[in-house]
Amino acid sequence: SGTVNAKEVVSLTETERRIALDQYISFIEDPNHALTFEHVQELTDNQWQQNEKDQLNFGYSKSSFWLKVSFRNDDAVWLDRILEIGYPVLDYIDIYVVKNGIYSNHILMGDKLPFYERLIQSRNFLVPLSFSVNEKIDLYIKIKTTSSVQAPMELWNPIDFHQVDQSRVIFQGVYFGIALVMILYNLVVYLAVSEKTYLHYVAYISFMPLFLASLNGLSFQYLWPTATWWNDQSIVFFLNGVLVFGSFFSIRFLSLKPESHLWINRYLNGIAWLGSLQMVASLLFTYKTMIQPTIYLAIITCVSLLFIGIYRCIQGDISARYF
């Protein structure tokens, strides 16, 4: 509640369950990747910039970013906490732990490292922290990534974290379970009637959960925990697959034939083939090169399909109501 000075020390007691840290964070942009931990540790408070946003998000940037957040145990008991960085596609995260002004340890994380090297096996980045009575801990965090530079951070009581995380896993399990049932059902229908509309729909709803699982770190955790190169490329590959088969499905489902809707048909086919080229390109070029063109195409495709669906609904197409 209220505005918090980013240089303020986060006071910890036994009663806290969860603290959102974004408002407590100060940062420095390092465009030349020249700053070391020794450099940033010597900087004065006035040289750090306060984060004034609700969430720490710098967008796509070639720079490295140093973050700083400080904690103090103001209770009369030992406290265990978990730091969660809730954006699983960050490439490199260097965390330097300073306890009562003395360097303690260095933790290296990121999705460019094999999944099993993480201290806690989770799709998000988790750091266990322990505080003795009156102990002050300063965290210096360096982030370098080709993905969007964002680092939503929370400090959790371990018991509460595992309870909430269990609910998240159950919810995601339900979603992916429903997606799997839909894939199998429509695949059976396609095999029974040989109607290509169902095959395009099967491909579309197969690529969508694969894209979401890659984006939120579940694929890296369960499907390819050592494939660090593919983990980045898979996000671009699967998102383009969603656009390709979403367009092909829409053409058939909305009866957008060349004889009746020539230009819409050509437009959506053009999107589909452009998406196909980007799928191939995602295997040849870096994530950094491909992610922004993919995002632009995704925005164009989603907006286009929305308006085309409305247009067909106005024309009286019954399928468009379901679409």
Side-chain angles (χ1 to χ4, degrees), residues 66-80:
W66 283 89
L67 316 178
K68 181 183 178 183
V69 60
S70 300
F71 309 94
R72 180 182 288 109
N73 178 7
D74 287 327
D75 217 329
V77 294
W78 179 283
L79 297 177
D80 290 316

Side-chain angles (χ1 to χ4, degrees), residues 54-291:
D54 292 334
Q55 190 176 84
L56 201 68
N57 189 339
F58 302 105
Y60 289 91
S61 175
K62 296 180 180 179
S63 301
S64 296
F65 286 85
W66 283 89
L67 316 178
K68 181 183 178 183
V69 60
S70 300
F71 309 94
R72 180 182 288 109
N73 178 7
D74 287 327
D75 217 329
V77 294
W78 179 283
L79 297 177
D80 290 316
R81 292 292 182 263
I82 292 176
L83 174 71
E84 179 183 29
I85 302 176
Y87 192 59
V89 295
L90 296 172
D91 291 350
Y92 297 103
I93 306 172
D94 286 88
I95 301 178
Y96 297 87
V97 183
V98 177
K99 295 188 174 185
N100 292 330
I102 301 172
Y103 168 74
S104 174
N105 63 311
H106 171 216
I107 301 164
L108 179 60
M109 299 188 296
D111 76 350
K112 290 297 187 186
L113 303 176
F115 183 83
Y116 296 122
E117 292 187 13
R118 299 186 184 188
L119 295 175
I120 300 176
Q121 307 287 296
S122 174
R123 64 197 175 281
N124 287 335
F125 301 109
L126 304 180
V127 180
L129 296 171
S130 296
F131 299 82
S132 58
V133 178
N134 293 324
E135 185 172 50
K136 179 174 181 284
I137 292 183
D138 300 306
L139 295 183
Y140 295 85
I141 304 171
K142 179 184 178 182
I143 294 176
K144 181 181 178 183
T145 186
T146 55
S147 63
S148 174
V149 184
Q150 50 183 296
M153 282 193 275
E154 294 180 308
L155 193 72
W156 289 86
N157 180 304
I159 294 175
D160 293 290
F161 170 79
H162 291 299
Q163 288 175 344
V164 171
D165 195 54
Q166 187 177 42
S167 299
R168 293 175 184 167
V169 171
I170 291 172
F171 175 80
Q172 290 172 335
V174 170
Y175 166 76
F176 289 110
I178 291 172
L180 181 60
V181 170
M182 291 174 66
I183 291 166
L184 295 175
Y185 171 77
N186 284 279
L187 185 59
V188 169
V189 173
Y190 166 71
L191 294 174
V193 301
S194 298
E195 170 56 53
K196 279 191 177 180
T197 304
Y198 290 101
L199 186 60
H200 290 148
Y201 188 63
V202 166
Y204 166 67
I205 60 176
S206 297
F207 275 92
M208 179 62 83
L210 285 169
F211 160 66
L212 293 174
S214 299
L215 187 64
N216 66 25
L218 287 171
S219 294
F220 194 36
Q221 182 174 3
Y222 294 111
L223 299 181
W224 43 77
T226 58
T228 54
W229 173 83
W230 169 244
N231 187 53
D232 261 357
Q233 307 307 112
S234 64
I235 295 173
V236 177
F237 183 85
F238 290 134
L239 179 52
N240 277 295
V242 170
L243 306 180
V244 169
F245 291 105
S247 297
F248 283 149
F249 166 72
S250 300
I251 290 171
R252 298 187 71 91
F253 192 76
L254 296 176
S255 302
L256 299 169
K257 300 176 182 178
E259 309 89 71
S260 56
H261 298 85
L262 178 61
W263 291 108
I264 295 178
N265 180 279
R266 287 181 175 177
Y267 176 70
L268 290 182
N269 270 295
I271 286 177
W273 288 111
L274 182 56
S276 300
L277 289 174
Q278 290 193 161
M279 288 180 75
V280 174
S282 71
L283 304 176
L284 303 174
F285 299 98
T286 63
Y287 173 91
K288 183 179 180 180
T289 303
M290 295 306 304
I291 186 59

Side-chain angles (χ1 to χ4, degrees), residues 9-47:
V9 177
V10 182
S11 176
L12 304 180
T13 62
E14 194 175 12
T15 58
E16 273 107 20
R17 300 178 57 194
R18 169 184 185 177
I19 303 174
L21 298 176
D22 301 78
Q23 59 183 337
Y24 293 96
I25 293 172
S26 50
F27 66 90
I28 291 177
E29 183 174 0
D30 179 16
N32 299 317
H33 313 287
L35 295 176
T36 65
F37 166 62
E38 289 73 19
H39 290 142
V40 297
Q41 192 180 17
E42 294 174 357
L43 298 176
T44 63
D45 285 346
N46 292 332
Q47 291 175 284

